[in-house]
């Protein structure tokens, strides 16, 4: 069977039979007629050499098939004979015609059908070999249609002037024509200098140096700019309504960010300093201030006018300080020559950054801007390493920049668990997955040696079968980049935490054992079993075992097929006291998924930010527990990013080295590592924890907050994992150490953002402490808010609905507080919304919808659809029967590739694991989500070495001819 990260489709695995070797001996015979003759030894003791069989292989063009009459060309040039030559080629085309001969030949199919082409090759010693492939020939007289709906986040928006030649351009290049946007917003855009980017696009000749957006903000929001192309350089500036500069972020990595100081009307400017790139602009209620540890904002603490210069040959500061405001042309070499070069860099930088008309900056802001731009230009144009002279201050609490966006940790009550323990390095968690990016800076210090158990070299994608290197080379999934699924899972379990970089992990100290079992198109049960045995220190195909076996095994993978061999392996591992956790699957079904459904495996379902069952999550009698898996199709907390699980990731969607970064994914694959991490925290305080003890505590309600029906239910198992309760239960098992915290009332999520159009959202009240608690009241402090209990318990905990009534409210931003009271203390959550009379329904930009066959080809012209009332409806007509994956997205940079970084992208059912549709009749209800591809790269080294500025990492597709009139809103392709 084939196993994938998201509980996927089957693939047969054929076992190799063991062949017994026969020992052949020569026997002497007596002489004929008379007795007593002696045996004569053979004259040659070496047996004749054994002939090696030839290898049959052939290429087929077109490999994807086509419509009758279809001319195909077959080429057997790849066939070979290891110890001789191939002397014969015979072709059977499967349609009853005569066999043809020849190394290369052509054949015409005159009728539709599925035909098996078989090649038989014969070598010079008469041995033969056979290769076969199936070809689908369609009937052009039979066509069908594929239709559905593409949903987007309500906060989605699109830059009014992008490079896509199909999109109209409405300039937003100045303060006066700034484009209005909402708060929160997730906006896809494009910016470029003249003469850069795709030459076919709208903006190649003129350039699009500045994009301006006007927005009303409440104060405290974070503005995040994510740049798609690593060779481009875009900057971010915030201006107040009087066009005075508030702050500017002018770094050189792929993210820029600014914190909004107070309520007001603002202009947000995206500026192209160099090159061309898509981008994603997020405005939300939470976020990160310092993304990469470098000084790159005007508001950062540095000495204006001073730079530290470093000699690139010695890597030593050769000039400690240089005052830019005092620089003047000087003669001579050495330091004087460097001063001249630095002065030239400043002039070039200020020329490149042309300030908009009527912009207002004070003298210190101008000097700060000159300092930052000079440092950037010095590295770009003259290779002189220069950095601002940062001011150091004592730090009270180190943090991880993207932790404020990791809502899922609050949902699992992790912050309160960390008051009790942050984990132990004595605990090892094995991650059996696609491998891990071993050099990811937020993981590299947490890893122990692992192994690659992918036995098929093509699936492994690293040039060989099993080996000792579990580094993830990528799985080449559709969507422009490999999934780097194992890296995301590992980051949730144990990303390096409180290191000022990236994200936090559930466990701050446990070590991670990376084991590869999934590659291109998933993996096999056999390879997963071998990885499990290695993790447990049992015999396996690697003929080695780890120096320390794992305490916990995480399996964010599965399929609908069971294996007795795998169940037996689980039994062996459980008997050793090792905990096994697995994802329940993403098919939204009650059918069991394996390995999660095996006896002895903890099966994890997924919840959303609202503590509801995720729409994709499997359910049923085999589910044991629930954990945050997220839903990128919502943005309930209003941080400008879909409510997925944020963790470590890589991006190989463009040429050059893989970029290390961070991204939000959703799925039960994301839920399982939350539970594995909590198990690691329990092991830290009670190393002797056994699977039986964990199961007993789970069934006793000691590890979870009960959701759904009382006790165990098919949606959530025994409930949502509660890290603090779990650690307290482990402490109790370790002889009652620790302090009973008593009841604690908590509201999840802590923020509700209705944006411009939302009218109803839900939150949950839970007791995240111990003992009993009674909610005595729930109220809102504004008359336009109504709070209603929807599924509350007798003690008042449970689900509540918040309803907004905008009637009579003037345009603007509004905030309120909902308060729940109890004798044990109160819980509050913030509420934000916008009132905007203009019709600005969600729009993620012009979408192209394509069908991709099993060979990865998109041969039909794309359907071109516009958003209508915040969604896209499409119908693709005249589709030849066949098997297809459905993709949709924008092409803002006009490179004829979908799903580039910074572009909206989606696939049926999910982009992480596109489903194959069998299209024989009209197919309807092909409904899925499109969202902006966003990699939260926050590392100063995030630039790809030697990367090309061109994209090409997405899915190539054919654009239809430009319409003579505007027909793009029909959503139909003929």
């Amino acid at each position: 069977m084939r196993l994938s990260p998201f509980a996927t489709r089957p693939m047969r695995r054929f076992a190799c039979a063991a062949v017994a070797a026969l020992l052949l001996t020569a026997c002497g015979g007596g002489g004929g007629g008379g007795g007593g003759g002696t045996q004569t030894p053979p004259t040659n003791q070496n047996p004749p050499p054994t002939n090696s069989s030839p290898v049959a292989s052939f290429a087929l063009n077109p490999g994807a098939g086509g419509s009758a009459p279809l001319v195909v060309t077959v080429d057997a040039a790849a066939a070979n004979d290891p110890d001789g030559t191939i002397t014969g080629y015979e072709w059977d085309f499967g349609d009853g015609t005569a066999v043809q001969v020849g190394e290369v030949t052509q054949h015409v199919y005159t009728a539709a059908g599925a035909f098996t082409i078989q090649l038989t090759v014969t070598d010079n010693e008469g041995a033969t070999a056979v290769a076969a492939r199936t070809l689908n020939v369609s009937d052009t007289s039979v066509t069908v249609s594929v239709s559905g709906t593409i949903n987007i986040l309500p906060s989605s928006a699109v830059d009014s002037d992008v490079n896509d030649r199909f999109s109209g351009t409405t300039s937003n290049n100045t303060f006066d024509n700034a484009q209005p946007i909402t708060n929160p917003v997730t906006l896809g855009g494009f910016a470029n200098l003249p003469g850069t980017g795709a030459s076919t696009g709208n903006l190649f000749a003129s350039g699009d140096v500045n994009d301006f957006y006007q927005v009303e903000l409440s104060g405290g929001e974070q503005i995040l700019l994510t740049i798609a192309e690593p060779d481009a350089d875009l900057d971010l500036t915030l201006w107040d309504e009087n066009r005075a500069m508030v702050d500017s972020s002018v770094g050189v990595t792929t993210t820029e960010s600014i914190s909004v100081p107070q309520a007001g009307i603002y202009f947000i400017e995206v500026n192209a300093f160099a090159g061309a790139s898509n981008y994603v602009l997020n405005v939300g209620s939470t976020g990160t201030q310092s993304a990469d540890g470098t000084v790159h904002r005007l508001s950062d603490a540095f000495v204006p006018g001073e730079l530290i210069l470093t000699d690139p040959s010695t890597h030593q500061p050769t000039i400690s300080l240089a005052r830019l405001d005092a620089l003047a042309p000087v003669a001579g070499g050495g330091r004087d020559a460097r001063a001249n070069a630095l002065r030239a860099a400043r002039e070039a930088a200020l020329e490149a950054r042309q300030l908009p008309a009527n912009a207002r900056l004070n003298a210190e802001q101008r000097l700060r801007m000159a300092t930052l731009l000079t440092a950037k230009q010095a590295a770009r144009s003259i290779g002189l390493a220069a950095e601002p002279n940062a001011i150091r201050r004592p730090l009270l609490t180190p943090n991880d920049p993207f932790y404020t966006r990791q809502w899922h940790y609050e949902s699992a009550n992790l912050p309160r668990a960390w008051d009790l323990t942050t984990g132990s390095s004595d605990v090892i968690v094995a991650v059996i997955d696609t491998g891990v990016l071993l050099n990811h800076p937020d993981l590299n210090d947490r890893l122990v040696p692992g192994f690659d158990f992918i036995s098929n070299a093509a699936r492994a994608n690293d040039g060989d079968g099993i080996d000792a290197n579990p580094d993830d080379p990528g799985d080449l999934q559709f969507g422009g980049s490999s999934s780097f699924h194992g890296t995301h899972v590992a980051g949730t379990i144990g990303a390096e935490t409180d290191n000022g970089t990236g994200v936090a992990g559930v466990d701050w100290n446990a070590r991670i054992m990376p084991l590869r079992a999934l590659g291109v198109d998933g993996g096999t049960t056999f390879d997963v079993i071998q990885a499990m045995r290695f993790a447990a220190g049992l015999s396996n195909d690697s003929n080695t075992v780890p120096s320390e076996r794992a305490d916990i095994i995480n399996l964010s993978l599965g399929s609908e097929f069971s294996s007795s061999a795998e169940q037996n392996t689980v039994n062996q591992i459980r008997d050793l006291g090792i905990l096994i956790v697995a994802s329940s699957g993403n098919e939204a079904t009650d059918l069991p998924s394996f390995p999660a459904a095996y006896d002895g495996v903890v099966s994890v379902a997924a919840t959303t930010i609202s503590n509801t069952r995720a729409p994709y999550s499997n359910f049923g009698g085999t589910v044991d527990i629930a954990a945050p898996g997220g839903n990128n199709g919502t943005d309930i907390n209003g941080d400008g990013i879909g409510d997925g699980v944020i963790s470590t990731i890589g991006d190989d969607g463009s040429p050059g080295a893989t970029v290390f970064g961070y991204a939000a994914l959703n799925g039960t694959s994301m839920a399982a590592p939350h539970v594995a991490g909590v198990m690691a925290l329990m092991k830290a305080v009670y190393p002797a924890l056994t699977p039986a003890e964990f199961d007993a505590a789970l069934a006793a309600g000691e590890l979870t907050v009960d959701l759904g029906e009382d006790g165990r239910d098919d949606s959530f198992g025994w409930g949502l994992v509660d890290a603090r309760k779990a650690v307290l239960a482990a402490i109790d098992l370790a002889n009652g150490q620790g302090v009973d915290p008593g009841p604690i009332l908590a509201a999840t999520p802590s923020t509700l953002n209705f944006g411009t159009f939302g009218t109803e959202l839900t939150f949950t009240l839970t007791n995240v402490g111990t003992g009993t608690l009674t909610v005595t009241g729930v109220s809102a402090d504004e008359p336009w808010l109504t709070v209603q209990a929807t599924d509350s318990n007798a003690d008042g905990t449970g689900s509540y609905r918040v309803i907004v009534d905008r009637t009579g409210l003037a345009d603007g931003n509004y905030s309120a507080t909902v308060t729940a009271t109890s004798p044990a203390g109160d819980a509050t959550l913030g509420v934000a919304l916008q009132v905007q009379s203009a019709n600005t329904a969600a729009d993620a930009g012009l979408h192209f919808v394509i069908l991709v066959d099993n060979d990865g080809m998109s041969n039909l012209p794309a359907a071109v659809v516009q958003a209508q009332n915040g969604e896209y409806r499409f119908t693709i007509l005249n589709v030849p029967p066949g098997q297809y994956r459905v993709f949709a997205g924008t092409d803002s940079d006009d490179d004829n590739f979908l799903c580039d970084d910074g572009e909206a992208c989606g696939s049926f059912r999910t982009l992480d694991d596109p489903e194959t549709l069998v299209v024989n009749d009209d197919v309807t209800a092909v409904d899925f989500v499109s969202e902006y591809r966003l990699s939260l790269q926050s590392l100063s080294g995030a630039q790809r070495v030697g990367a090309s500025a061109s994209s090409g990492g997405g899915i190539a597709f054919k654009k239809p001819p430009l319409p003579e009139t505007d027909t793009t809103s029909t959503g139909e392709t003929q």
Side-chain angles (χ1 to χ4, degrees), residues 306-685:
E306 294 186 356
L307 291 178
I308 298 176
L309 309 179
T310 302
D311 188 325
S313 61
T314 64
H315 303 290
Q316 296 295 325
T318 57
I319 304 176
S320 59
L321 295 175
R323 293 192 170 277
L324 297 181
D325 52 349
L327 284 179
V330 293
R335 296 185 179 184
D336 292 340
R338 291 184 181 275
N340 282 340
L342 195 63
R343 183 174 182 275
R346 181 181 68 168
E347 293 174 352
L350 295 180
E351 181 179 354
R353 178 57 168 111
Q354 294 292 328
L355 294 173
N358 302 319
R360 297 169 53 198
L361 288 78
N362 59 38
E364 182 177 356
Q365 286 176 322
R366 290 181 182 275
L367 182 56
R368 283 180 168 270
M369 178 71 81
T371 306
L372 296 177
L373 292 178
T374 302
K376 175 159 63 173
Q377 185 66 29
R380 176 175 291 276
S381 63
I382 59 176
L384 181 62
E387 59 183 283
N389 189 21
I391 298 173
R392 305 296 186 193
R393 296 191 177 100
L395 299 176
L396 298 177
T397 304
N399 59 30
D400 303 273
F402 294 125
Y403 169 68
T404 56
R405 295 180 182 267
Q406 292 180 288
W407 59 267
H408 34 102
Y409 289 166
E410 180 69 35
S411 181
N413 203 21
L414 274 159
R416 296 176 182 88
W418 293 331
D419 291 338
L420 303 172
T421 180
T422 55
S424 167
S425 60
D426 292 333
V427 179
I428 296 176
V429 183
V431 175
I432 299 177
D433 214 290
T434 63
V436 170
L437 290 169
L438 303 183
N439 293 320
H440 196 296
D442 229 0
L443 289 171
N444 56 355
D445 289 336
R446 298 293 298 277
L447 304 175
V448 299
F451 212 87
D452 177 0
F453 283 97
I454 303 177
S455 54
N456 180 281
R459 179 174 287 118
N461 199 33
D462 61 0
D464 57 23
I466 70 170
D467 58 56
N469 181 11
D471 195 34
D472 190 347
D475 53 15
L476 303 179
Q477 292 281 24
F478 289 97
S481 174
S482 296
S483 69
F484 296 110
H485 186 267
T487 299
H488 198 277
V489 169
T492 297
I493 294 170
E496 297 172 28
T497 305
D498 273 353
N499 63 343
T501 296
V503 295
V506 172
D507 188 297
W508 297 13
N509 294 293
R511 292 174 292 162
I512 297 170
M513 179 188 295
L515 299 172
R516 287 196 77 209
L518 305 180
V520 177
D521 200 35
T524 67
T525 300
F526 181 83
D527 293 348
V528 171
I529 289 175
Q530 296 305 310
M532 293 172 67
R533 295 183 64 83
F534 179 91
L538 300 172
S539 61
N540 60 84
D541 271 6
S542 73
N543 296 318
T544 184
V545 294
S547 58
E548 296 177 79
R549 73 186 186 193
D551 301 283
I552 300 154
I553 296 175
N554 187 92
L555 297 163
S556 289
L557 49 84
S559 77
E560 65 267 40
F561 295 99
S562 64
S563 160
S564 59
E566 196 168 29
Q567 176 68 78
N568 291 337
T569 300
V570 167
N571 297 340
Q572 285 182 274
I573 292 173
R574 182 181 171 92
D575 289 344
L576 295 173
I578 297 172
L579 296 156
I580 307 175
V581 59
S583 50
S584 67
N586 291 348
E587 289 79 32
T589 178
D590 62 355
L591 296 176
S593 175
F594 298 91
Y598 290 135
D599 292 338
V601 176
V602 178
S603 175
V604 186
T607 58
T608 68
I609 192 173
S610 301
N611 288 348
T612 59
R613 180 172 65 86
Y616 51 79
S617 178
N618 284 3
F619 51 94
T622 62
V623 169
D624 297 306
I625 194 171
N631 182 4
N632 277 337
T634 68
D635 183 20
I636 291 175
N637 63 356
D639 65 357
I641 295 176
D643 297 325
V645 170
I646 294 181
S647 183
T648 46
I649 202 72
D651 184 357
D652 61 358
S654 294
T658 297
V659 176
F660 303 126
Y662 307 86
L665 300 181
N666 51 206
T668 56
S669 283
M670 284 61 256
H674 283 82
V675 175
V678 170
M679 288 175 171
L681 294 176
M682 296 176 70
K683 278 276 193 179
V685 299

